């Protein structure tokens, strides 16, 4: 009975501990401003890919025009 | 330029997604931590895929009712682009699972359902490419596409909800909609879905136009 009660209490305590444990987030990264580096890198990649897509779009349009003229 | 307004929306929304997706405050949750931001990227891949497959089945039905070869071409390219986004969804989901569930892949209904869906659509491209007769190819592919779309609905949207699943939004697990009570995530999530879906449509239209150029130049 004693061990049962103890273990029950233990589970209860661990539950409370789990609930209060702070969730680890990248707050330091944000606080020191370094997250902006990641955003900048991703923005560069995204803008690059989108520019490529726009260029392909224009090339296809040009080809379509040329074929129509023929 | 008048026809391209939606491409501008796509670019603006995607840029907004990347900037706001990393900078907004997200709910602090155990296990997930910062990976909750994956919702702006991983989930959107599946949205884009489902929209492309919907376009595909609509054009398959149009092809069956009218017999126009052009509709078959559109359906096929929509499927190809959809497969591209679905594969990205599988890979990103696998990475996310590794760092939250601790494994690259589990035999979860949602995961297996997604994999089966991808295989079903792989079979579509294989089937379509295996038939050389143009008329027959369109008809067979269109009929199969209707089956594949139903399979996708069952395996991604219905079956995972009927059984236990680790994946959020299934089998009694709440989706993320329950967590973002303050609606900050929604402010990024909805534009993200629209942005990525429009990107999918854009790539699809490019593929269609290139295919048409190919057939025209062969004439």
């Amino acid at each position: 009975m004693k061990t049962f009660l103890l273990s029950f209490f233990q589970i209860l305590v661990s539950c409370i501990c789990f609930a209060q444990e702070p969730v680890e987030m990248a707050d330091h990264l944000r606080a020191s401003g370094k997250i902006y580096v990641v955003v900048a890198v991703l923005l560069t990649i995204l803008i690059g890919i989108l520019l490529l897509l726009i260029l392909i779009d224009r090339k296809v349009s040009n080809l379509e025009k040329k074929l129509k003229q023929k | 330029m008048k026809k391209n307004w939606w491409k501008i929306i796509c670019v603006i929304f995607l840029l907004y997604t990347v900037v706001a997706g990393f900078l907004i405050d997200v709910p602090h949750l155990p296990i997930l931590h910062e990976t909750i931001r994956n919702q702006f990227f991983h989930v959107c891949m599946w949205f884009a895929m489902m929209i492309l497959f919907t376009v595909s089945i609509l054009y398959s039905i149009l092809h069956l009712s009218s017999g126009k070869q052009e509709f078959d071409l559109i359906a096929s390219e929509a499927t190809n682009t959809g497969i591209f986004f679905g594969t990205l969804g599988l890979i990103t989901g696998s990475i996310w699972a590794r760092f939250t569930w601790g494994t690259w892949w589990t035999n979860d209904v949602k995961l297996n359902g997604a994999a089966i869906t991808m295989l079903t659509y792989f079979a579509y491209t294989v089937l379509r490419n295996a038939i050389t007769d143009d008329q027959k190819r369109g008809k067979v592919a269109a009929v199969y596409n209707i089956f594949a779309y139903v399979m996708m609905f069952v395996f991604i949207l219905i079956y995972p909800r009927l059984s236990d699943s680790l994946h959020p939004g299934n089998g009694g697990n709440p989706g993320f909609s329950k967590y973002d009570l303050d609606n900050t995530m929604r402010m990024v999530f909805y534009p993200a879905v629209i942005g990525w879906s429009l990107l999918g449509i854009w790539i699809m239209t490019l593929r269609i136009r290139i295919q048409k150029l190919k057939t025209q130049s062969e004439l």
Side-chain angles (χ1 to χ4, degrees):
Chain A
M1 191 61 198
K2 199 178 168 189
T3 48
F4 172 76
L5 271 177
L6 266 176
S7 54
F8 179 74
F9 193 67
Q10 172 65 41
I11 290 167
L12 212 71
V13 166
S14 70
C15 281
I16 294 165
C17 283
F18 184 72
Q20 286 179 340
E21 199 176 304
V23 175
E24 198 185 316
M25 301 297 264
D27 288 331
H28 288 295
L29 197 66
R30 208 156 284 108
S32 60
K34 294 258 169 78
I35 188 74
Y36 298 108
V37 181
V38 182
V39 176
V41 168
L42 266 165
L43 264 183
T44 316
I45 293 172
L46 187 68
I47 290 171
I49 291 173
L50 289 175
L51 275 179
L52 182 71
L53 212 59
I54 292 168
L55 278 177
I56 294 171
D57 201 310
R58 284 170 73 179
K59 267 184 193 167
V60 172
S61 300
N62 277 336
L63 276 175
E64 280 169 347
K65 269 181 203 162
K66 267 186 193 167
L67 262 179
K68 254 189 190 169
Q69 280 170 357
K70 276 183 184 175
Chain B
M1 212 58 200
K2 266 181 192 168
K3 275 185 196 166
N4 291 337
W5 57 271
W6 56 276
K7 290 173 187 167
I8 297 165
I9 290 178
C10 167
V11 170
I12 291 169
F13 276 11
L14 283 183
L15 294 177
Y16 168 74
T17 303
V18 166
V19 175
F22 282 96
L23 297 183
I24 60 154
D25 240 2
V26 289
H28 291 217
L29 298 172
I31 301 173
L32 277 172
H33 303 267
E34 293 282 357
T35 67
I36 196 169
R37 292 177 200 276
N38 272 348
Q39 200 195 358
F40 307 135
F41 306 101
H42 162 75
V43 183
C44 298
M45 295 298 114
W46 295 108
F47 269 90
M49 182 200 80
M50 284 200 279
I51 285 171
L52 284 164
F53 284 168
T54 309
V55 170
S56 174
I57 192 187
L58 289 178
Y59 276 98
S60 276
I61 293 168
L62 278 178
H63 172 73
L64 281 178
S65 61
S66 72
K68 268 191 185 169
Q69 283 304 308
E70 189 194 357
F71 294 149
D72 176 49
L73 179 79
I74 295 173
S76 133
E77 289 304 335
T79 305
N80 284 338
T81 321
I83 287 173
F84 172 71
F85 276 90
T87 312
L88 285 182
L90 275 184
I91 297 170
T92 53
S94 184
I95 297 168
W96 198 0
R98 173 65 188 82
F99 294 101
T100 48
W101 300 340
T103 168
W104 296 105
W105 191 269
T106 59
N107 277 328
D108 190 85
V109 274
K110 186 81 165 185
L111 275 62
N112 284 341
I116 291 168
T117 305
M118 295 313 295
L119 290 176
T120 322
Y121 275 97
F122 281 140
Y124 169 86
T125 56
V126 171
L127 179 71
R128 189 173 176 279
N129 289 329
I131 304 168
T132 44
D133 179 6
D134 270 5
Q135 289 292 327
K136 216 189 242 171
R137 176 169 72 182
K139 287 271 184 289
V140 173
V143 171
Y144 180 82
N145 195 12
I146 294 168
F147 280 108
Y149 191 76
V150 174
M151 294 288 264
M152 180 198 80
F153 246 81
V154 171
F155 278 117
I156 288 189
L157 296 175
I158 300 170
Y159 186 54
R161 287 193 167 77
L162 295 177
S163 53
D164 282 334
S165 171
L166 278 170
H167 196 282
N170 300 288
N173 262 344
F176 284 131
S177 56
K178 207 167 185 185
Y179 298 137
D180 49 11
L181 290 169
D182 51 355
N183 282 340
T184 46
M185 280 189 81
R186 269 182 212 166
M187 274 166 50
V188 183
F189 181 57
Y190 293 147
V193 166
I194 297 169
W196 289 111
S197 301
L198 284 178
L199 186 75
I201 300 281
W202 190 357
I203 294 171
M204 179 197 81
T205 56
L206 277 177
R207 294 188 65 136
I208 294 166
R209 284 162 70 188
I210 290 170
Q211 280 298 327
K212 277 185 188 167
L213 283 176
K214 252 190 198 168
T215 48
Q216 275 177 8
S217 62
E218 276 166 7
L219 286 175

